[in-house]
Amino acid sequence: MANENYPSANLPPELRALKNHVGKIISGAVVLAVLFTSIYQVGPEEVGVVLQFGKYDRTVTPGLNYKLPLGIEDVYKIPVERQLKQEFGFRTGEVGVRTEYMPASDNLIDEAQMLTGDLNLADVEWVVQYRIHDPYQYLFKVRNAEKSLHDMSEASMRKIVGDRTVNEVLTVGRQEVATRVEEFLQSLANEYELGITIDQVVLQDVNPPDAVRPSFNAVNQAQQQRETLINEALSDFNRVIPRARGAALETIERAEGFALNRVNRAEGEADRFTSIYEEYILAPEVTKKRLYLETMSNILPNIGSKVIMDDNGNNVLPLLQMQPGTSRTMEVSN
């Protein structure tokens, strides 16, 4: 009976030793499996989200951590300290000393091609840089946060570009477009609880479609030439017109000053003549002689050498610095 209940007792010693050896190997494998599935490491830029039987249990910090083994608890490592990015309209094939980009495909062309507000087409390539700030929302609030962010980014860019003209998107409005997309995309991420913070939206490249690019460049060159001519004309206008206006004002002011001077002098002469005439009426002889003497006092200092002669005299009387070769003769009547 003992042999029937314990058949291994009838085994040869070699088989019993092999059986024990296999049992030890299985036991060691089980122990190793428990250890390998219990201990895990979370990187310095990550946090670990632990699920117990598929349900969220806790979030662990970087370093060595322990979880229940054999699939009872699972861990998702989320890079919360790393800046992530999504590319639109192009894809980076290899990043190194020289970045290489994958050739454009139909999907990338459709992703980049957009309709602007003035019913023109533009190829817009951009990059969304973001961080994960809430691992729980990132994993459990939406089915696929990366895909959702991709769709939201594309919808946001199409909305903002659709509100602007093609010239604004291609030239002066690029920074405003990127800013508005960043704000709108962040509001969508908060509304859908993606657990994502948008760091930056960068417009990588904005061009017209290849089919119309030569015509578009020709139009741009014509517009630039027009702006150049307009600026040159304004420069000439600003240089010539103010100078002409200044010269005109100067001439007007000089004429006004000359007119005022002539009027004042004329009025003064008229007043002086009136006052002299009034004096002449009162004392004609005295006034006449005074006028004669005043006139002579103004004339004589300016006539140089002088020779004064009597009407009846035959001799010349040299007076007042006579100079050889010059002489003036004045007759003095009694």
Side-chain angles (χ1 to χ4, degrees):
M1 286 297 290
N3 293 337
E4 292 178 358
N5 294 331
Y6 301 95
S8 60
N10 297 326
L11 294 175
E14 294 83 2
L15 292 178
R16 287 200 303 270
L18 179 60
K19 183 179 179 181
N20 294 332
H21 186 66
V22 171
K24 292 179 180 180
I25 292 176
I26 294 174
S27 300
V30 171
V31 172
L32 290 176
V34 169
L35 290 176
F36 278 113
T37 57
S38 299
I39 299 174
Y40 62 94
Q41 184 174 5
V42 179
E45 296 180 349
E46 302 171 333
V47 296
V49 178
V50 181
L51 307 183
Q52 189 176 98
F53 295 114
K55 182 179 179 181
Y56 172 77
D57 183 70
R58 63 188 181 278
T59 300
V60 298
T61 57
L64 289 175
N65 293 275
Y66 173 81
K67 65 181 180 66
L68 296 179
L70 303 177
I72 299 174
E73 289 184 341
D74 294 321
V75 178
Y76 291 92
K77 299 177 183 179
I78 307 300
V80 294
E81 298 295 335
R82 188 184 312 159
Q83 188 180 70
L84 307 174
K85 71 174 182 177
Q86 288 186 354
E87 299 170 336
F88 299 84
F90 72 101
R91 296 293 184 272
T92 303
E94 181 181 354
V95 180
V97 178
R98 182 177 180 179
T99 302
E100 296 182 358
Y101 299 98
M102 297 175 61
S105 62
D106 293 339
N107 292 334
L108 296 181
I109 293 175
D110 293 340
E111 188 177 76
Q113 200 168 80
M114 299 185 183
L115 186 67
T116 61
D118 55 354
L119 302 182
N120 286 300
L121 291 176
D123 289 338
V124 183
E125 300 176 359
W126 75 99
V127 178
V128 175
Q129 299 174 348
Y130 64 97
R131 298 177 187 272
I132 301 171
H133 72 270
D134 192 328
Y136 176 78
Q137 290 184 352
Y138 178 80
L139 289 174
F140 303 114
K141 288 295 184 177
V142 293
R143 185 181 298 274
N144 188 333
E146 294 289 336
K147 181 65 167 57
S148 299
L149 178 63
H150 185 279
D151 294 341
M152 290 178 184
S153 300
E154 189 171 347
S156 301
M157 184 61 71
R158 292 187 184 279
K159 179 183 184 306
I160 301 303
V161 170
D163 292 337
R164 285 160 177 78
T165 64
V166 66
N167 287 329
E168 290 176 336
V169 176
L170 293 175
T171 55
V172 296
R174 293 182 57 173
Q175 184 58 45
E176 183 186 359
V177 169
T179 302
R180 293 287 296 117
V181 170
E182 179 181 340
E183 295 173 353
F184 186 69
L185 182 58
Q186 185 64 67
S187 66
L188 288 179
N190 295 338
E191 181 179 354
Y192 286 91
E193 297 182 340
L194 292 184
I196 287 174
T197 299
I198 307 300
D199 286 342
Q200 191 177 13
V201 175
V202 180
L203 290 182
Q204 187 78 4
D205 198 7
V206 182
N207 290 305
D210 294 337
V212 298
R213 188 172 299 177
S215 300
F216 187 85
N217 291 336
V219 172
N220 280 340
Q221 290 177 359
Q223 290 177 347
Q224 292 175 1
Q225 186 176 6
R226 182 190 66 178
E227 294 296 331
T228 300
L229 293 176
I230 291 174
N231 291 333
E232 291 177 354
L234 290 175
S235 177
D236 292 339
F237 177 86
N238 294 330
R239 184 178 64 254
V240 174
I241 297 302
R243 183 183 302 173
R245 287 175 178 171
L249 290 176
E250 181 182 1
T251 303
I252 291 172
E253 290 176 356
R254 290 175 59 185
E256 290 176 350
F258 180 77
L260 182 62
N261 181 48
R262 290 299 297 270
V263 169
N264 291 336
R265 289 183 61 184
E267 290 178 352
E269 292 292 335
D271 293 339
R272 188 172 69 87
F273 179 81
T274 301
S275 62
I276 292 174
Y277 177 73
E278 292 174 352
E279 295 294 332
Y280 179 80
I281 294 299
L282 296 176
E285 294 299 328
V286 175
T287 303
K288 183 188 296 185
K289 188 170 184 179
R290 181 174 63 81
L291 291 174
Y292 173 79
L293 294 175
E294 289 178 354
T295 302
M296 294 303 295
S297 65
N298 291 329
I299 293 175
L300 291 177
N302 297 323
I303 62 175
S305 300
K306 309 171 185 65
V307 177
I308 302 175
M309 299 178 59
D310 192 3
D311 290 340
N312 299 323
N314 294 324
N315 295 325
V316 177
L317 300 177
L319 299 174
L320 302 178
Q321 299 181 355
M322 294 185 62
Q323 298 178 0
T326 62
S327 63
R328 305 254 180 143
T329 302
M330 178 178 296
E331 294 182 356
V332 181
S333 61
N334 292 328

